[in-house]
Amino acid sequence: MPVRTIITPANPILRQKAKKVTTFGPALKTLVDDMVDTMREAPGVGLAAPQVAVSQRVIVIEFAPEPEEGQEPEPPKLYRVINPEIVKASDEMVMGVEGCLSIPGYAGDVERHAAVSVKGFNLQGKPIKIKAEGWLARIFQHEIDHLDGVLLIDRAAKVWKMEGEAPRNTP
Ligand code: CO
């Protein structure tokens, strides 16, 4: 399954509002498989279809929470969500440092909801619902923003050029 090229804001597709998926077939499965490979290769913790120049409402996320002290790390969990939608968001907001695979070399301080509930569909077109909090909630908000052409630089209180390593868990 080929790794696809991750586009930057130089490609206008990144700024378009992506279309809802209406056909749940083999082409969708191929797209999602390629997105998972591309995310892992980057490496990142999330990817939205517009980032590989496909203007459709599809996201993938793979994330393992930081283990508590003295606890075994949990294996990362893979989420593949078609037509995702935030249906509930906490009033509580949290600030955090985010990067983006489409804006390499930059990071920003972005305020996000501390927790969100996301509704969507799996690859078979069956409805799914995910409750996310902490860093996972941040990743979901970042990826769903991509489906509306919104980038972290639009939301960031401050953006800066990174020296050295990308922030952990770049979506
Ligand atoms: Co991004």
Side-chain angles (χ1 to χ4, degrees), residues 14-75:
L14 201 59
R15 287 304 202 169
Q16 288 170 9
K17 194 173 161 68
K19 289 203 169 63
K20 273 198 175 175
V21 171
T22 51
T23 309
F24 291 77
L28 178 64
K29 170 89 167 67
T30 301
L31 169 66
V32 169
D33 286 348
D34 287 357
M35 284 172 64
V36 170
D37 288 348
T38 307
M39 168 181 67
R40 287 175 176 166
E41 162 89 12
V45 291
L47 197 69
Q51 292 183 275
V52 292
V54 177
S55 198
Q56 291 186 31
R57 303 188 80 81
V58 178
I59 61 170
V60 297
I61 291 174
E62 189 168 52
F63 174 70
E66 190 90 322
E68 303 272 322
E69 229 180 288
Q71 300 280 309
E72 286 291 306
E74 279 176 49

Side-chain angles (χ1 to χ4, degrees), residues 24 80-84 119-128:
F24 291 77
R80 293 170 289 192
V81 191
I82 316 303
N83 300 337
K119 266 188 180 173
F121 298 87
N122 69 9
L123 278 168
Q124 286 74 43
K126 187 175 157 258
I128 53 173

Side-chain angles (χ1 to χ4, degrees), residues 41-136:
E41 162 89 12
V45 291
L47 197 69
Q51 292 183 275
V52 292
V54 177
S55 198
Q56 291 186 31
R57 303 188 80 81
V58 178
I59 61 170
V60 297
I61 291 174
E62 189 168 52
F63 174 70
E66 190 90 322
E68 303 272 322
E69 229 180 288
Q71 300 280 309
E72 286 291 306
E74 279 176 49
K77 206 169 166 197
L78 178 64
Y79 301 88
R80 293 170 289 192
V81 191
I82 316 303
N83 300 337
E85 224 179 300
I86 294 172
V87 290
K88 227 162 79 183
S90 65
D91 291 334
E92 192 198 334
M93 304 295 286
V94 279
M95 198 62 116
V97 178
E98 272 176 39
C100 178
L101 295 175
S102 289
I103 314 170
Y106 289 86
D109 274 329
V110 187
E111 196 173 44
R112 301 282 190 188
H113 296 283
V116 291
S117 294
V118 176
K119 266 188 180 173
F121 298 87
N122 69 9
L123 278 168
Q124 286 74 43
K126 187 175 157 258
I128 53 173
K129 191 172 178 184
I130 299 141
K131 281 187 175 171
E133 53 176 45
W135 205 267
L136 183 62

Side-chain angles (χ1 to χ4, degrees), residues 46 51 99-102 142-143 146 151-152 171:
Q51 292 183 275
C100 178
L101 295 175
S102 289
H142 180 112
E143 298 313 333
H146 272 302
L151 301 175
L152 80 91

